[in-house]
PDB file of all heavy atoms in Angstrom:
ATOM      1  N   ASP A   1      62.211  79.687  90.538  1.00 98.00           N
ATOM      2  CA  ASP A   1      61.156  80.386  91.363  1.00 98.00           C
ATOM      3  C   ASP A   1      61.888  81.448  92.190  1.00 98.00           C
ATOM      4  O   ASP A   1      62.389  81.246  93.252  1.00 98.00           O
ATOM      5  CB  ASP A   1      60.629  79.274  92.414  1.00 98.00           C
ATOM      6  CG  ASP A   1      59.570  79.930  93.255  1.00 98.00           C
ATOM      7  OD1 ASP A   1      59.381  81.255  93.208  1.00 98.00           O
ATOM      8  OD2 ASP A   1      58.983  79.289  94.164  1.00 98.00           O
ATOM      9  N   VAL A   2      62.044  82.627  91.577  1.00 98.00           N
ATOM     10  CA  VAL A   2      62.760  83.788  92.119  1.00 98.00           C
ATOM     11  C   VAL A   2      61.703  84.987  92.251  1.00 98.00           C
ATOM     12  O   VAL A   2      61.032  85.233  91.396  1.00 98.00           O
ATOM     13  CB  VAL A   2      63.934  84.198  91.325  1.00 98.00           C
ATOM     14  CG1 VAL A   2      63.556  84.430  89.846  1.00 98.00           C
ATOM     15  CG2 VAL A   2      64.616  85.371  91.891  1.00 98.00           C
ATOM     16  N   THR A   3      61.784  85.577  93.410  1.00 98.00           N
ATOM     17  CA  THR A   3      60.925  86.703  93.712  1.00 98.00           C
ATOM     18  C   THR A   3      61.789  87.688  94.488  1.00 98.00           C
ATOM     19  O   THR A   3      63.027  87.355  94.836  1.00 98.00           O
ATOM     20  CB  THR A   3      59.748  86.355  94.643  1.00 98.00           C
ATOM     21  OG1 THR A   3      60.121  85.662  95.870  1.00 98.00           O
ATOM     22  CG2 THR A   3      58.688  85.701  93.924  1.00 98.00           C
ATOM     23  N   ILE A   4      61.390  88.920  94.671  1.00 98.00           N
ATOM     24  CA  ILE A   4      62.095  90.006  95.301  1.00 98.00           C
ATOM     25  C   ILE A   4      61.416  90.707  96.355  1.00 98.00           C
ATOM     26  O   ILE A   4      60.100  90.475  96.481  1.00 98.00           O
ATOM     27  CB  ILE A   4      62.737  90.934  94.282  1.00 98.00           C
ATOM     28  CG1 ILE A   4      61.461  91.626  93.652  1.00 98.00           C
ATOM     29  CG2 ILE A   4      63.628  90.232  93.329  1.00 98.00           C
ATOM     30  CD1 ILE A   4      61.858  92.810  92.574  1.00 98.00           C
ATOM     31  N   ASP A   5      61.976  91.491  97.186  1.00 98.00           N
ATOM     32  CA  ASP A   5      61.358  92.341  98.049  1.00 98.00           C
ATOM     33  C   ASP A   5      61.935  93.648  98.108  1.00 98.00           C
ATOM     34  O   ASP A   5      63.097  93.804  97.628  1.00 98.00           O
ATOM     35  CB  ASP A   5      61.244  91.857  99.480  1.00 98.00           C
ATOM     36  CG  ASP A   5      62.484  91.452 100.188  1.00 98.00           C
ATOM     37  OD1 ASP A   5      63.314  92.389 100.442  1.00 98.00           O
ATOM     38  OD2 ASP A   5      62.773  90.307 100.473  1.00 98.00           O
ATOM     39  N   GLN A   6      61.281  94.784  98.483  1.00 98.00           N
ATOM     40  CA  GLN A   6      61.711  96.075  98.555  1.00 98.00           C
ATOM     41  C   GLN A   6      61.215  96.861  99.661  1.00 98.00           C
ATOM     42  O   GLN A   6      60.014  96.747 100.079  1.00 98.00           O
ATOM     43  CB  GLN A   6      61.197  96.601  97.167  1.00 98.00           C
ATOM     44  CG  GLN A   6      61.271  98.091  96.922  1.00 98.00           C
ATOM     45  CD  GLN A   6      60.522  98.614  95.809  1.00 98.00           C
ATOM     46  OE1 GLN A   6      59.416  98.180  95.530  1.00 98.00           O
ATOM     47  NE2 GLN A   6      61.003  99.476  94.909  1.00 98.00           N
ATOM     48  N   TYR A   7      61.948  97.884 100.086  1.00 97.00           N
ATOM     49  CA  TYR A   7      61.337  98.866 101.123  1.00 97.00           C
ATOM     50  C   TYR A   7      61.220 100.177 100.150  1.00 97.00           C
ATOM     51  O   TYR A   7      61.942 100.457  99.326  1.00 97.00           O
ATOM     52  CB  TYR A   7      62.261  99.160 102.134  1.00 97.00           C
ATOM     53  CG  TYR A   7      63.637  99.240 102.081  1.00 97.00           C
ATOM     54  CD1 TYR A   7      64.377 100.537 101.608  1.00 97.00           C
ATOM     55  CD2 TYR A   7      64.479  98.196 102.265  1.00 97.00           C
ATOM     56  CE1 TYR A   7      65.630 100.569 101.503  1.00 97.00           C
ATOM     57  CE2 TYR A   7      65.962  98.360 102.178  1.00 97.00           C
ATOM     58  CZ  TYR A   7      66.491  99.417 101.700  1.00 97.00           C
ATOM     59  OH  TYR A   7      67.859  99.599 101.547  1.00 97.00           O
ATOM     60  N   PRO A   8      60.166 100.909 100.341  1.00 98.00           N
ATOM     61  CA  PRO A   8      59.732 102.057  99.473  1.00 98.00           C
ATOM     62  C   PRO A   8      60.420 103.354  99.754  1.00 98.00           C
ATOM     63  O   PRO A   8      59.807 104.354  99.912  1.00 98.00           O
ATOM     64  CB  PRO A   8      58.167 102.030  99.594  1.00 98.00           C
ATOM     65  CG  PRO A   8      57.999 101.760 101.088  1.00 98.00           C
ATOM     66  CD  PRO A   8      59.087 100.713 101.326  1.00 98.00           C
ATOM     67  N   TYR A   9      61.679 103.273  99.783  1.00 97.00           N
ATOM     68  CA  TYR A   9      62.519 104.573 100.185  1.00 97.00           C
ATOM     69  C   TYR A   9      63.814 104.572  99.295  1.00 97.00           C
ATOM     70  O   TYR A   9      64.154 103.563  98.692  1.00 97.00           O
ATOM     71  CB  TYR A   9      62.987 104.469 101.523  1.00 97.00           C
ATOM     72  CG  TYR A   9      61.839 104.470 102.569  1.00 97.00           C
ATOM     73  CD1 TYR A   9      61.296 103.271 102.984  1.00 97.00           C
ATOM     74  CD2 TYR A   9      61.347 105.633 103.159  1.00 97.00           C
ATOM     75  CE1 TYR A   9      60.327 103.335 103.897  1.00 97.00           C
ATOM     76  CE2 TYR A   9      60.366 105.744 104.133  1.00 97.00           C
ATOM     77  CZ  TYR A   9      59.788 104.437 104.436  1.00 97.00           C
ATOM     78  OH  TYR A   9      58.809 104.366 105.384  1.00 97.00           O
ATOM     79  N   THR A  10      64.391 105.852  99.149  1.00 96.00           N
ATOM     80  CA  THR A  10      65.612 106.064  98.370  1.00 96.00           C
ATOM     81  C   THR A  10      66.844 105.914  99.347  1.00 96.00           C
ATOM     82  O   THR A  10      67.957 106.307  98.726  1.00 96.00           O
ATOM     83  CB  THR A  10      65.549 107.367  97.573  1.00 96.00           C
ATOM     84  OG1 THR A  10      65.334 108.474  98.505  1.00 96.00           O
ATOM     85  CG2 THR A  10      64.389 107.289  96.549  1.00 96.00           C
ATOM     86  N   ALA A  11      66.693 105.445 100.509  1.00 95.00           N
ATOM     87  CA  ALA A  11      67.867 105.319 101.317  1.00 95.00           C
ATOM     88  C   ALA A  11      68.021 103.975 101.965  1.00 95.00           C
ATOM     89  O   ALA A  11      66.906 103.407 102.206  1.00 95.00           O
ATOM     90  CB  ALA A  11      67.910 106.414 102.352  1.00 95.00           C
ATOM     91  N   SER A  12      69.115 103.309 102.055  1.00 94.00           N
ATOM     92  CA  SER A  12      69.252 102.067 102.749  1.00 94.00           C
ATOM     93  C   SER A  12      69.716 102.343 104.149  1.00 94.00           C
ATOM     94  O   SER A  12      69.998 103.465 104.589  1.00 94.00           O
ATOM     95  CB  SER A  12      70.333 101.295 101.967  1.00 94.00           C
ATOM     96  OG  SER A  12      71.593 101.988 101.972  1.00 94.00           O
ATOM     97  N   SER A  13      69.977 101.180 105.025  1.00 93.00           N
ATOM     98  CA  SER A  13      70.497 101.398 106.306  1.00 93.00           C
ATOM     99  C   SER A  13      71.157 100.123 106.713  1.00 93.00           C
ATOM    100  O   SER A  13      70.681  99.037 106.466  1.00 93.00           O
ATOM    101  CB  SER A  13      69.318 101.659 107.260  1.00 93.00           C
ATOM    102  OG  SER A  13      69.946 101.801 108.550  1.00 93.00           O
ATOM    103  N   THR A  14      72.395 100.150 107.164  1.00 91.00           N
ATOM    104  CA  THR A  14      73.143  99.169 107.626  1.00 91.00           C
ATOM    105  C   THR A  14      74.339  99.587 108.474  1.00 91.00           C
ATOM    106  O   THR A  14      74.286 100.766 108.853  1.00 91.00           O
ATOM    107  CB  THR A  14      73.562  98.237 106.451  1.00 91.00           C
ATOM    108  OG1 THR A  14      74.202  96.955 106.913  1.00 91.00           O
ATOM    109  CG2 THR A  14      74.637  98.958 105.468  1.00 91.00           C
ATOM    110  N   SER A  15      75.231  98.729 108.683  1.00 94.00           N
ATOM    111  CA  SER A  15      76.486  99.217 109.471  1.00 94.00           C
ATOM    112  C   SER A  15      77.408 100.073 108.680  1.00 94.00           C
ATOM    113  O   SER A  15      77.550  99.941 107.533  1.00 94.00           O
ATOM    114  CB  SER A  15      77.300  97.874 109.953  1.00 94.00           C
ATOM    115  OG  SER A  15      78.546  98.219 110.460  1.00 94.00           O
ATOM    116  N   ILE A  16      77.898 100.905 109.387  1.00 95.00           N
ATOM    117  CA  ILE A  16      78.882 101.948 108.763  1.00 95.00           C
ATOM    118  C   ILE A  16      80.134 101.162 108.302  1.00 95.00           C
ATOM    119  O   ILE A  16      81.008 101.606 107.436  1.00 95.00           O
ATOM    120  CB  ILE A  16      79.409 103.075 109.893  1.00 95.00           C
ATOM    121  CG1 ILE A  16      79.956 104.155 109.037  1.00 95.00           C
ATOM    122  CG2 ILE A  16      80.302 102.423 110.849  1.00 95.00           C
ATOM    123  CD1 ILE A  16      78.969 105.133 108.643  1.00 95.00           C
ATOM    124  N   SER A  17      80.297  99.940 108.741  1.00 94.00           N
ATOM    125  CA  SER A  17      81.485  99.123 108.441  1.00 94.00           C
ATOM    126  C   SER A  17      81.495  98.721 106.958  1.00 94.00           C
ATOM    127  O   SER A  17      82.538  98.385 106.349  1.00 94.00           O
ATOM    128  CB  SER A  17      81.567  97.748 109.187  1.00 94.00           C
ATOM    129  OG  SER A  17      80.337  96.967 109.025  1.00 94.00           O
ATOM    130  N   THR A  18      80.362  98.761 106.216  1.00 92.00           N
ATOM    131  CA  THR A  18      80.223  98.562 104.934  1.00 92.00           C
ATOM    132  C   THR A  18      80.930  99.435 103.975  1.00 92.00           C
ATOM    133  O   THR A  18      81.042  99.262 102.834  1.00 92.00           O
ATOM    134  CB  THR A  18      78.730  98.255 104.423  1.00 92.00           C
ATOM    135  OG1 THR A  18      78.036  99.601 104.743  1.00 92.00           O
ATOM    136  CG2 THR A  18      78.033  97.233 105.180  1.00 92.00           C
ATOM    137  N   LEU A  19      81.335 100.671 104.480  1.00 95.00           N
ATOM    138  CA  LEU A  19      82.153 101.689 103.782  1.00 95.00           C
ATOM    139  C   LEU A  19      83.564 101.079 103.554  1.00 95.00           C
ATOM    140  O   LEU A  19      84.319 101.665 102.775  1.00 95.00           O
ATOM    141  CB  LEU A  19      82.071 102.935 104.420  1.00 95.00           C
ATOM    142  CG  LEU A  19      80.890 103.682 104.465  1.00 95.00           C
ATOM    143  CD1 LEU A  19      80.846 104.985 105.323  1.00 95.00           C
ATOM    144  CD2 LEU A  19      80.301 103.916 103.026  1.00 95.00           C
ATOM    145  N   LEU A  20      83.905 100.168 104.462  1.00 94.00           N
ATOM    146  CA  LEU A  20      85.401  99.632 104.448  1.00 94.00           C
ATOM    147  C   LEU A  20      85.474  98.370 103.548  1.00 94.00           C
ATOM    148  O   LEU A  20      84.459  97.585 103.460  1.00 94.00           O
ATOM    149  CB  LEU A  20      85.925  99.259 105.861  1.00 94.00           C
ATOM    150  CG  LEU A  20      86.416 100.555 106.693  1.00 94.00           C
ATOM    151  CD1 LEU A  20      85.248 101.441 106.984  1.00 94.00           C
ATOM    152  CD2 LEU A  20      87.054 100.008 108.021  1.00 94.00           C
ATOM    153  N   PRO A  21      86.658  97.981 103.038  1.00 91.00           N
ATOM    154  CA  PRO A  21      86.765  96.944 102.352  1.00 91.00           C
ATOM    155  C   PRO A  21      86.684  95.532 103.238  1.00 91.00           C
ATOM    156  O   PRO A  21      87.045  95.565 104.422  1.00 91.00           O
ATOM    157  CB  PRO A  21      88.325  96.787 101.817  1.00 91.00           C
ATOM    158  CG  PRO A  21      88.772  98.247 101.911  1.00 91.00           C
ATOM    159  CD  PRO A  21      87.873  98.764 103.073  1.00 91.00           C
ATOM    160  N   GLY A  22      85.952  94.532 102.729  1.00 85.00           N
ATOM    161  CA  GLY A  22      85.651  93.376 103.658  1.00 85.00           C
ATOM    162  C   GLY A  22      86.810  92.788 104.180  1.00 85.00           C
ATOM    163  O   GLY A  22      86.737  92.260 105.317  1.00 85.00           O
ATOM    164  N   GLU A  23      87.945  92.705 103.494  1.00 86.00           N
ATOM    165  CA  GLU A  23      89.065  91.923 104.015  1.00 86.00           C
ATOM    166  C   GLU A  23      89.554  92.583 105.270  1.00 86.00           C
ATOM    167  O   GLU A  23      90.396  91.839 105.966  1.00 86.00           O
ATOM    168  CB  GLU A  23      90.199  91.801 102.869  1.00 86.00           C
ATOM    169  CG  GLU A  23      90.646  93.078 102.448  1.00 86.00           C
ATOM    170  CD  GLU A  23      89.899  93.527 101.204  1.00 86.00           C
ATOM    171  OE1 GLU A  23      88.811  93.246 101.072  1.00 86.00           O
ATOM    172  OE2 GLU A  23      90.503  94.403 100.461  1.00 86.00           O
ATOM    173  N   VAL A  24      89.364  93.713 105.484  1.00 90.00           N
ATOM    174  CA  VAL A  24      89.865  94.369 106.769  1.00 90.00           C
ATOM    175  C   VAL A  24      89.101  94.084 107.952  1.00 90.00           C
ATOM    176  O   VAL A  24      89.556  94.063 109.158  1.00 90.00           O
ATOM    177  CB  VAL A  24      89.839  95.956 106.534  1.00 90.00           C
ATOM    178  CG1 VAL A  24      90.256  96.710 107.752  1.00 90.00           C
ATOM    179  CG2 VAL A  24      90.706  96.326 105.301  1.00 90.00           C
ATOM    180  N   LEU A  25      87.907  93.506 107.707  1.00 88.00           N
ATOM    181  CA  LEU A  25      86.962  93.241 108.833  1.00 88.00           C
ATOM    182  C   LEU A  25      87.023  91.946 109.426  1.00 88.00           C
ATOM    183  O   LEU A  25      86.194  91.501 110.263  1.00 88.00           O
ATOM    184  CB  LEU A  25      85.524  93.630 108.335  1.00 88.00           C
ATOM    185  CG  LEU A  25      85.336  95.002 107.693  1.00 88.00           C
ATOM    186  CD1 LEU A  25      83.858  95.169 107.238  1.00 88.00           C
ATOM    187  CD2 LEU A  25      85.551  96.034 108.864  1.00 88.00           C
ATOM    188  N   ALA A  26      87.986  91.139 109.001  1.00 82.00           N
ATOM    189  CA  ALA A  26      87.906  89.682 109.399  1.00 82.00           C
ATOM    190  C   ALA A  26      88.413  89.561 110.918  1.00 82.00           C
ATOM    191  O   ALA A  26      89.025  90.417 111.412  1.00 82.00           O
ATOM    192  CB  ALA A  26      88.924  88.759 108.551  1.00 82.00           C
ATOM    193  N   ASP A  27      87.898  88.532 111.641  1.00 79.00           N
ATOM    194  CA  ASP A  27      88.391  88.071 112.923  1.00 79.00           C
ATOM    195  C   ASP A  27      88.074  88.837 114.097  1.00 79.00           C
ATOM    196  O   ASP A  27      88.680  88.773 115.172  1.00 79.00           O
ATOM    197  CB  ASP A  27      89.994  87.852 112.799  1.00 79.00           C
ATOM    198  CG  ASP A  27      90.411  87.032 111.654  1.00 79.00           C
ATOM    199  OD1 ASP A  27      89.805  85.959 111.548  1.00 79.00           O
ATOM    200  OD2 ASP A  27      91.403  87.240 110.988  1.00 79.00           O
ATOM    201  N   GLY A  28      87.112  89.720 114.099  1.00 81.00           N
ATOM    202  CA  GLY A  28      86.549  90.502 115.174  1.00 81.00           C
ATOM    203  C   GLY A  28      87.125  91.917 115.336  1.00 81.00           C
ATOM    204  O   GLY A  28      88.081  92.252 114.669  1.00 81.00           O
ATOM    205  N   GLN A  29      86.570  92.553 116.342  1.00 83.00           N
ATOM    206  CA  GLN A  29      86.784  94.038 116.425  1.00 83.00           C
ATOM    207  C   GLN A  29      88.290  94.198 116.876  1.00 83.00           C
ATOM    208  O   GLN A  29      88.821  95.210 116.477  1.00 83.00           O
ATOM    209  CB  GLN A  29      85.877  94.590 117.590  1.00 83.00           C
ATOM    210  CG  GLN A  29      86.061  95.980 117.868  1.00 83.00           C
ATOM    211  CD  GLN A  29      85.911  96.957 116.735  1.00 83.00           C
ATOM    212  OE1 GLN A  29      85.130  96.592 115.787  1.00 83.00           O
ATOM    213  NE2 GLN A  29      86.497  98.064 116.757  1.00 83.00           N
ATOM    214  N   ASP A  30      88.783  93.438 117.690  1.00 87.00           N
ATOM    215  CA  ASP A  30      90.184  93.591 118.079  1.00 87.00           C
ATOM    216  C   ASP A  30      91.175  93.475 116.967  1.00 87.00           C
ATOM    217  O   ASP A  30      92.146  94.412 116.811  1.00 87.00           O
ATOM    218  CB  ASP A  30      90.643  92.606 119.234  1.00 87.00           C
ATOM    219  CG  ASP A  30      89.947  92.748 120.648  1.00 87.00           C
ATOM    220  OD1 ASP A  30      89.527  93.889 120.761  1.00 87.00           O
ATOM    221  OD2 ASP A  30      89.992  91.787 121.278  1.00 87.00           O
ATOM    222  N   SER A  31      90.755  92.576 116.005  1.00 89.00           N
ATOM    223  CA  SER A  31      91.639  92.405 114.803  1.00 89.00           C
ATOM    224  C   SER A  31      91.386  93.633 113.966  1.00 89.00           C
ATOM    225  O   SER A  31      92.412  94.178 113.305  1.00 89.00           O
ATOM    226  CB  SER A  31      91.310  91.154 114.120  1.00 89.00           C
ATOM    227  OG  SER A  31      91.651  90.084 114.945  1.00 89.00           O
ATOM    228  N   VAL A  32      90.185  94.128 113.808  1.00 89.00           N
ATOM    229  CA  VAL A  32      89.943  95.285 112.956  1.00 89.00           C
ATOM    230  C   VAL A  32      90.748  96.420 113.401  1.00 89.00           C
ATOM    231  O   VAL A  32      91.340  97.198 112.585  1.00 89.00           O
ATOM    232  CB  VAL A  32      88.438  95.504 112.899  1.00 89.00           C
ATOM    233  CG1 VAL A  32      88.101  96.827 112.233  1.00 89.00           C
ATOM    234  CG2 VAL A  32      87.714  94.394 112.244  1.00 89.00           C
ATOM    235  N   ARG A  33      90.605  96.600 114.805  1.00 91.00           N
ATOM    236  CA  ARG A  33      91.307  97.883 115.431  1.00 91.00           C
ATOM    237  C   ARG A  33      92.754  97.798 115.184  1.00 91.00           C
ATOM    238  O   ARG A  33      93.429  98.705 114.906  1.00 91.00           O
ATOM    239  CB  ARG A  33      90.957  97.941 116.894  1.00 91.00           C
ATOM    240  CG  ARG A  33      91.491  99.171 117.535  1.00 91.00           C
ATOM    241  CD  ARG A  33      91.162  99.116 119.033  1.00 91.00           C
ATOM    242  NE  ARG A  33      89.679  99.295 119.359  1.00 91.00           N
ATOM    243  CZ  ARG A  33      88.887  98.364 119.828  1.00 91.00           C
ATOM    244  NH1 ARG A  33      89.494  97.122 120.100  1.00 91.00           N
ATOM    245  NH2 ARG A  33      87.638  98.529 119.893  1.00 91.00           N
ATOM    246  N   ALA A  34      93.344  96.710 115.330  1.00 94.00           N
ATOM    247  CA  ALA A  34      94.836  96.354 115.196  1.00 94.00           C
ATOM    248  C   ALA A  34      95.148  96.697 113.693  1.00 94.00           C
ATOM    249  O   ALA A  34      96.276  97.400 113.492  1.00 94.00           O
ATOM    250  CB  ALA A  34      95.191  94.970 115.596  1.00 94.00           C
ATOM    251  N   ARG A  35      94.473  96.286 112.796  1.00 93.00           N
ATOM    252  CA  ARG A  35      94.786  96.488 111.384  1.00 93.00           C
ATOM    253  C   ARG A  35      94.743  98.024 110.999  1.00 93.00           C
ATOM    254  O   ARG A  35      95.472  98.630 110.447  1.00 93.00           O
ATOM    255  CB  ARG A  35      93.770  95.846 110.401  1.00 93.00           C
ATOM    256  CG  ARG A  35      94.047  94.276 110.320  1.00 93.00           C
ATOM    257  CD  ARG A  35      92.987  93.624 109.404  1.00 93.00           C
ATOM    258  NE  ARG A  35      93.106  92.116 109.470  1.00 93.00           N
ATOM    259  CZ  ARG A  35      92.206  91.441 109.964  1.00 93.00           C
ATOM    260  NH1 ARG A  35      91.037  92.163 110.313  1.00 93.00           N
ATOM    261  NH2 ARG A  35      92.399  90.200 110.077  1.00 93.00           N
ATOM    262  N   LEU A  36      93.694  98.674 111.514  1.00 94.00           N
ATOM    263  CA  LEU A  36      93.493 100.102 111.203  1.00 94.00           C
ATOM    264  C   LEU A  36      94.470 101.044 111.883  1.00 94.00           C
ATOM    265  O   LEU A  36      94.613 102.201 111.506  1.00 94.00           O
ATOM    266  CB  LEU A  36      92.020 100.506 111.539  1.00 94.00           C
ATOM    267  CG  LEU A  36      90.858  99.835 110.840  1.00 94.00           C
ATOM    268  CD1 LEU A  36      89.494 100.346 111.368  1.00 94.00           C
ATOM    269  CD2 LEU A  36      90.981 100.223 109.305  1.00 94.00           C
ATOM    270  N   GLN A  37      95.141 100.544 112.868  1.00 94.00           N
ATOM    271  CA  GLN A  37      96.346 101.226 113.344  1.00 94.00           C
ATOM    272  C   GLN A  37      97.547 101.142 112.590  1.00 94.00           C
ATOM    273  O   GLN A  37      98.496 101.966 112.812  1.00 94.00           O
ATOM    274  CB  GLN A  37      96.672 100.746 114.852  1.00 94.00           C
ATOM    275  CG  GLN A  37      95.597 101.154 115.885  1.00 94.00           C
ATOM    276  CD  GLN A  37      95.799 100.401 117.165  1.00 94.00           C
ATOM    277  OE1 GLN A  37      96.469  99.304 117.249  1.00 94.00           O
ATOM    278  NE2 GLN A  37      95.181 100.966 118.219  1.00 94.00           N
ATOM    279  N   ARG A  38      97.686 100.272 111.679  1.00 95.00           N
ATOM    280  CA  ARG A  38      98.736 100.277 110.809  1.00 95.00           C
ATOM    281  C   ARG A  38      98.733 101.197 109.616  1.00 95.00           C
ATOM    282  O   ARG A  38      97.681 101.143 108.946  1.00 95.00           O
ATOM    283  CB  ARG A  38      98.942  98.827 110.278  1.00 95.00           C
ATOM    284  CG  ARG A  38      99.212  97.717 111.418  1.00 95.00           C
ATOM    285  CD  ARG A  38      99.017  96.302 110.813  1.00 95.00           C
ATOM    286  NE  ARG A  38      99.814  95.942 109.626  1.00 95.00           N
ATOM    287  CZ  ARG A  38      99.743  94.855 109.012  1.00 95.00           C
ATOM    288  NH1 ARG A  38      98.899  93.888 109.233  1.00 95.00           N
ATOM    289  NH2 ARG A  38     100.519  94.744 107.880  1.00 95.00           N
ATOM    290  N   PRO A  39      99.701 102.031 109.510  1.00 94.00           N
ATOM    291  CA  PRO A  39      99.623 103.160 108.462  1.00 94.00           C
ATOM    292  C   PRO A  39      99.308 102.604 107.113  1.00 94.00           C
ATOM    293  O   PRO A  39      98.441 103.232 106.338  1.00 94.00           O
ATOM    294  CB  PRO A  39     100.981 103.839 108.574  1.00 94.00           C
ATOM    295  CG  PRO A  39     101.473 103.551 110.022  1.00 94.00           C
ATOM    296  CD  PRO A  39     100.893 102.140 110.271  1.00 94.00           C
ATOM    297  N   GLU A  40      99.942 101.522 106.629  1.00 95.00           N
ATOM    298  CA  GLU A  40      99.673 100.978 105.224  1.00 95.00           C
ATOM    299  C   GLU A  40      98.211 100.473 105.123  1.00 95.00           C
ATOM    300  O   GLU A  40      97.641 100.719 104.076  1.00 95.00           O
ATOM    301  CB  GLU A  40     100.814  99.946 104.898  1.00 95.00           C
ATOM    302  CG  GLU A  40     100.467  98.681 105.691  1.00 95.00           C
ATOM    303  CD  GLU A  40     101.282  98.642 107.150  1.00 95.00           C
ATOM    304  OE1 GLU A  40     101.650  99.653 107.475  1.00 95.00           O
ATOM    305  OE2 GLU A  40     101.564  97.485 107.646  1.00 95.00           O
ATOM    306  N   ILE A  41      97.708  99.868 106.164  1.00 95.00           N
ATOM    307  CA  ILE A  41      96.207  99.435 105.993  1.00 95.00           C
ATOM    308  C   ILE A  41      95.372 100.617 105.999  1.00 95.00           C
ATOM    309  O   ILE A  41      94.380 100.683 105.352  1.00 95.00           O
ATOM    310  CB  ILE A  41      95.981  98.429 107.224  1.00 95.00           C
ATOM    311  CG1 ILE A  41      96.919  97.318 107.076  1.00 95.00           C
ATOM    312  CG2 ILE A  41      94.407  98.045 107.160  1.00 95.00           C
ATOM    313  CD1 ILE A  41      96.659  96.344 105.939  1.00 95.00           C
ATOM    314  N   ARG A  42      95.578 101.496 106.977  1.00 95.00           N
ATOM    315  CA  ARG A  42      94.913 102.755 107.017  1.00 95.00           C
ATOM    316  C   ARG A  42      94.890 103.570 105.669  1.00 95.00           C
ATOM    317  O   ARG A  42      93.742 103.888 105.142  1.00 95.00           O
ATOM    318  CB  ARG A  42      95.333 103.699 108.056  1.00 95.00           C
ATOM    319  CG  ARG A  42      94.603 104.818 108.300  1.00 95.00           C
ATOM    320  CD  ARG A  42      95.049 105.711 109.640  1.00 95.00           C
ATOM    321  NE  ARG A  42      94.718 105.004 110.739  1.00 95.00           N
ATOM    322  CZ  ARG A  42      94.050 105.651 111.666  1.00 95.00           C
ATOM    323  NH1 ARG A  42      93.535 106.795 111.692  1.00 95.00           N
ATOM    324  NH2 ARG A  42      93.771 104.958 112.886  1.00 95.00           N
ATOM    325  N   ASN A  43      95.981 103.649 105.107  1.00 95.00           N
ATOM    326  CA  ASN A  43      95.971 104.309 103.726  1.00 95.00           C
ATOM    327  C   ASN A  43      95.297 103.505 102.654  1.00 95.00           C
ATOM    328  O   ASN A  43      94.559 104.095 101.772  1.00 95.00           O
ATOM    329  CB  ASN A  43      97.538 104.548 103.344  1.00 95.00           C
ATOM    330  CG  ASN A  43      98.146 105.549 104.261  1.00 95.00           C
ATOM    331  OD1 ASN A  43      97.382 106.455 104.723  1.00 95.00           O
ATOM    332  ND2 ASN A  43      99.495 105.544 104.391  1.00 95.00           N
ATOM    333  N   TYR A  44      95.368 102.130 102.742  1.00 96.00           N
ATOM    334  CA  TYR A  44      94.589 101.394 101.789  1.00 96.00           C
ATOM    335  C   TYR A  44      93.111 101.515 101.861  1.00 96.00           C
ATOM    336  O   TYR A  44      92.405 101.626 100.975  1.00 96.00           O
ATOM    337  CB  TYR A  44      94.998  99.894 101.999  1.00 96.00           C
ATOM    338  CG  TYR A  44      94.126  98.872 101.376  1.00 96.00           C
ATOM    339  CD1 TYR A  44      94.161  98.681  99.927  1.00 96.00           C
ATOM    340  CD2 TYR A  44      93.213  98.090 102.089  1.00 96.00           C
ATOM    341  CE1 TYR A  44      93.380  97.869  99.391  1.00 96.00           C
ATOM    342  CE2 TYR A  44      92.395  97.201 101.486  1.00 96.00           C
ATOM    343  CZ  TYR A  44      92.462  97.036 100.104  1.00 96.00           C
ATOM    344  OH  TYR A  44      91.583  96.168  99.498  1.00 96.00           O
TER     345      TYR A  44
END
């Protein structure tokens, strides 16, 4: 019993964070900020 839903537009909307790899976003904003300050993580 599977159905679907749809919005009638050609654009989506969500957090800008979805542009980043998921593994970088673990453990809250402080952890995310700390990771992104590391050059190797930033380059990745």
Side-chain angles (χ1 to χ4, degrees):
D1 180 359
V2 55
T3 49
I4 62 177
D5 59 67
Q6 171 193 37
Y7 45 81
Y9 297 87
T10 56
S12 60
S13 183
T14 188
S15 170
I16 201 83
S17 65
T18 56
L19 292 174
L20 278 65
E23 60 268 26
V24 176
L25 303 173
D27 306 318
Q29 178 62 24
D30 290 343
S31 297
V32 173
R33 189 180 290 112
R35 289 190 191 100
L36 292 176
Q37 287 175 338
R38 294 166 57 188
E40 67 274 21
I41 298 294
R42 183 175 285 236
N43 288 334
Y44 166 70

